[in-house]
Amino acid sequence: FDIAGDVELVSAEPHEFAWQVEFLCRHFEPVSFHDIVLAVTEGRQLPKRAVAVTFDDGFEDLYEHAAPILERARMPATVFLATDYVSSGEPFWFDLVAYIVWNAPLESVEVPGTDERLPASETPASRAAATYRVLKWLKNCPDTARLQFLSGLEATYPHLCSQARVSLGRALNWDEVRQLDRLWHIP
């Protein structure tokens, strides 16, 4: 996903992630989420410089790029899966929204509850600001309002939605989830 969509997204190229994992292993003591749970629930001690690696949502590149790096480093990780998306082949809703805002005609995306229409200009800064504004609203609104907004985007921008489904990364599938579980399973 090469556009600067969700400003809250933390991402790294595989070589950058490999460097980050190497740094963590050199300067910290990797622990699993299971270790943290045991420390909280049973009072077990964590290493003084404990560090845990977690991933949100479960994008396919986790399986393709991150898992082999973590496996080579023998570093555990925890994935917080968005289970509605696993094996769906659908892009995550926030990526779809970002894609549409970045590619929609000027002043064509209406911000719910306002008279404002975004993006205001073609500049990357304007597109980024528009994306942030729409995503911020969507992340803080009731689920029914978010689903209604997404449905409206589908109806208004079917071509962009089709392009997004081809262009954007997908979620893990259940076979990949099972393989990751075997890789990081704590007995």
Side-chain angles (χ1 to χ4, degrees), residues 121-134:
S121 80
E122 291 291 348
T123 68
S126 176
R127 296 276 178 170
T131 301
Y132 176 76
R133 184 157 165 80
V134 173

Side-chain angles (χ1 to χ4, degrees), residues 42-113:
E42 297 179 8
R44 294 190 187 181
Q45 284 292 100
L46 288 172
K48 188 172 187 160
R49 297 180 58 86
V51 64
V53 174
T54 65
F55 296 90
D56 289 344
D57 305 317
F59 285 88
E60 68 181 323
D61 60 354
L62 165 63
Y63 180 81
E64 184 179 341
H65 299 293
I69 293 166
L70 292 164
E71 184 176 18
R72 280 192 299 275
R74 301 181 54 85
M75 178 176 272
T78 298
V79 182
F80 296 98
L81 290 172
T83 55
D84 281 354
Y85 288 91
V86 176
S87 290
S88 72
E90 289 292 313
F92 289 97
W93 69 264
F94 44 85
D95 279 348
L96 182 66
V97 170
Y99 186 92
I100 289 171
V101 174
W102 274 85
N103 292 285
L106 291 180
E107 299 183 355
S108 65
V109 178
E110 186 176 339
V111 179

Side-chain angles (χ1 to χ4, degrees), residues 133-154:
R133 184 157 165 80
V134 173
L135 288 175
K136 182 179 177 186
W137 181 82
L138 289 169
K139 289 177 181 181
N140 291 294
C141 73
D143 197 44
T144 53
R146 181 178 57 82
L147 293 172
Q148 184 177 4
F149 181 81
L150 292 171
S151 182
L153 287 181
E154 290 275 350

